Amino acid sequence: MKKQEIKEPVERITIRHVAHDAGVSVAAVSKVLRNAYGVSEALRLKVETSIEKLRYRPSVAARAMRGRTYTVGILVIDLFNPFLPPVIDAVNEALSQSGYKTMIGVGRGASVIEASMIETMIDNRMDGVILVAPRISDRMVERFAEQIPIVVIGHHEPEATGYDTVNSDDRIGAMLAVRCLHDRGYRDIAMVGYDRTGSPSSVVSLQREVGYQEAMRDLDLADRQRILRLPPPEEPRDEAIKSLLAHPGRPRALFVWSDLDAVPILAAACEAGLRVPTDLAVIGYDNSPVAALPLVDLASIDQDPSGIGRGASDLLLSRIEGRREAEHVLIQPRVIARGSL
């Protein structure tokens, strides 16, 4: 029987390792880390070379020793989601009142890019990071949170201990959408979601699916519940939407997981000659600016993006001030009824 190899635990690189490698004192490394006055360029280069060589990343406690930079990083999935501008505006306004500036990075929904950008924010000595709908796993977020204060938006991890979350109560929002359709007399109510293969369990669409199913059961419509899945958001979906609307078993009413798909569904319904809401009722989620346009007139769930942004900023500031216990905040959504009902 082959003897199992026992791997030695990987030693954590500390400030002492950096000092030894650079041939300087721990105090000298600390001065470089906190950008202290009077540090020579030669010393700075020597220390930073060792930091890069050893891949040393200071802990949150060590970062606090060198003082603040009064900068915060915001990492978003893209710049096209209409939910994002009011969130970012609220974050900027709240943080600026405390003297902080923000820098925005775009992760493009790729976990490798997101991880690299977070590391860059850490290396640039930012005081904290706000992540919006990240694709990286909870485990990775927890690891980064050991190095920098983090608050996450659009990421349901109520058991996380190292970082905070702020979300719309997506489960309740979905239930409100279904009940709104039910109150209008609809019983054949389906949900339009997307293929979540490869997505983390923290994505908001999962909570919206849970809320849809719960509401259908509560309304004694469990036998009529259906989740119709489009391709993932990064893939073309026009043909899938057309097929959904052309299907002979098309539902009478649709709860769509996001206005990102609800608006194209309304456009495709119009092209197909379907009357909204006479032939098809639709309610989306996000209450995007497009939904309110008279020619769109899409009913939607408003998740108070400004409130989410302010809440995330408040939590991050208290994290930076030293709070350690995790907080997970849910913002209550509301129905915005329009002509698509």
Side-chain angles (χ1 to χ4, degrees):
M1 183 175 178
K2 187 178 179 180
K3 184 177 179 181
Q4 185 177 5
E5 181 181 355
I6 300 176
K7 295 183 179 180
E8 292 293 328
V10 178
E11 184 178 12
R12 178 183 175 87
I13 301 299
T14 69
I15 192 172
R16 295 185 180 279
H17 292 97
V18 175
H20 182 268
D21 185 81
V24 299
S25 67
V26 171
V29 176
S30 177
K31 287 182 179 180
V32 172
L33 288 175
R34 66 176 187 270
N35 199 26
Y37 177 78
V39 174
S40 69
E41 283 303 311
L43 175 60
R44 186 183 307 281
L45 178 61
K46 186 181 295 186
V47 171
E48 289 181 347
T49 298
S50 292
I51 288 173
E52 183 67 21
K53 172 185 173 183
L54 299 176
R55 299 181 66 83
Y56 168 68
R57 300 197 183 281
S59 66
V60 173
R63 288 174 59 83
M65 291 173 56
R66 66 168 183 262
R68 299 178 188 172
T69 62
Y70 286 92
T71 57
V72 166
I74 304 175
L75 181 61
V76 300
I77 50 175
D78 58 50
L79 295 176
F80 305 104
N81 191 324
F83 166 71
L84 295 175
V87 173
I88 295 172
D89 284 347
V91 169
N92 282 331
E93 182 178 356
L95 291 179
S96 66
Q97 291 175 359
S98 296
Y100 284 83
K101 296 180 180 179
T102 58
M103 299 184 68
I104 299 176
V106 181
R108 292 183 287 179
S111 57
V112 174
I113 296 176
E114 289 178 349
S116 176
M117 297 198 75
I118 296 171
E119 289 179 346
T120 299
M121 291 174 178
I122 293 172
D123 291 341
N124 280 282
R125 302 177 181 177
M126 293 186 178
D127 295 323
V129 176
I130 293 177
L131 309 179
V132 184
R135 294 298 297 269
I136 60 175
S137 67
D138 173 58
R139 179 181 57 80
M140 290 188 69
V141 179
E142 288 277 10
R143 180 169 64 83
F144 284 126
E146 294 175 357
Q147 305 169 56
I148 190 170
I150 289 179
V151 176
V152 189
I153 295 170
H155 179 97
H156 287 275
E157 283 290 354
E159 303 303 319
T161 58
Y163 61 91
D164 307 314
T165 62
V166 182
N167 293 289
S168 163
D169 194 332
D170 293 292
R171 182 183 67 86
I172 294 297
M175 295 181 72
L176 290 174
V178 174
R179 289 171 180 166
C180 180
L181 290 169
H182 183 270
D183 290 346
R184 298 295 178 107
Y186 303 110
R187 298 297 180 268
D188 183 14
I189 305 169
M191 177 178 179
V192 177
Y194 63 89
D195 182 356
R196 292 188 290 100
T197 303
S199 297
S201 59
S202 58
V203 293
V204 298
S205 61
L206 175 58
Q207 288 299 308
R208 294 173 192 177
E209 290 181 14
V210 170
Y212 163 76
Q213 293 168 329
E214 186 174 340
M216 292 293 281
R217 288 194 300 268
D218 290 347
L219 296 169
D220 294 325
L221 297 174
D223 59 332
R224 306 190 72 170
Q225 61 180 282
R226 287 181 282 170
I227 298 180
L228 311 176
R229 298 195 183 278
L230 298 175
E234 62 272 14
E235 296 183 12
R237 50 224 298 155
D238 290 350
E239 291 304 316
I241 289 174
K242 290 179 181 178
S243 297
L244 184 156
L245 296 178
H247 195 280
R250 182 190 68 242
R252 180 64 184 82
L254 295 176
F255 161 51
V256 187
W257 78 280
S258 170
D259 290 359
L260 292 172
D261 283 327
V263 172
I265 284 174
L266 284 184
C270 181
E271 290 179 4
L274 296 175
R275 297 167 298 170
V276 177
T278 305
D279 300 320
L280 178 69
V282 181
I283 184 169
Y285 207 112
D286 290 337
N287 190 31
S288 60
V290 175
L293 294 175
L295 290 178
V296 178
D297 209 19
L298 171 67
S300 192
I301 302 298
D302 188 290
Q303 52 180 323
D304 189 7
S306 296
I308 289 175
R310 289 191 299 271
S313 301
D314 290 344
L315 287 178
L316 187 64
L317 289 172
S318 66
R319 274 278 182 187
I320 292 171
E321 292 295 335
R323 175 178 55 81
R324 305 289 294 176
E325 184 177 351
E327 294 187 23
H328 302 287
V329 176
L330 291 176
I331 304 294
Q332 293 306 301
R334 61 193 178 104
V335 175
I336 305 298
R338 296 193 179 97
S340 65
L341 296 175

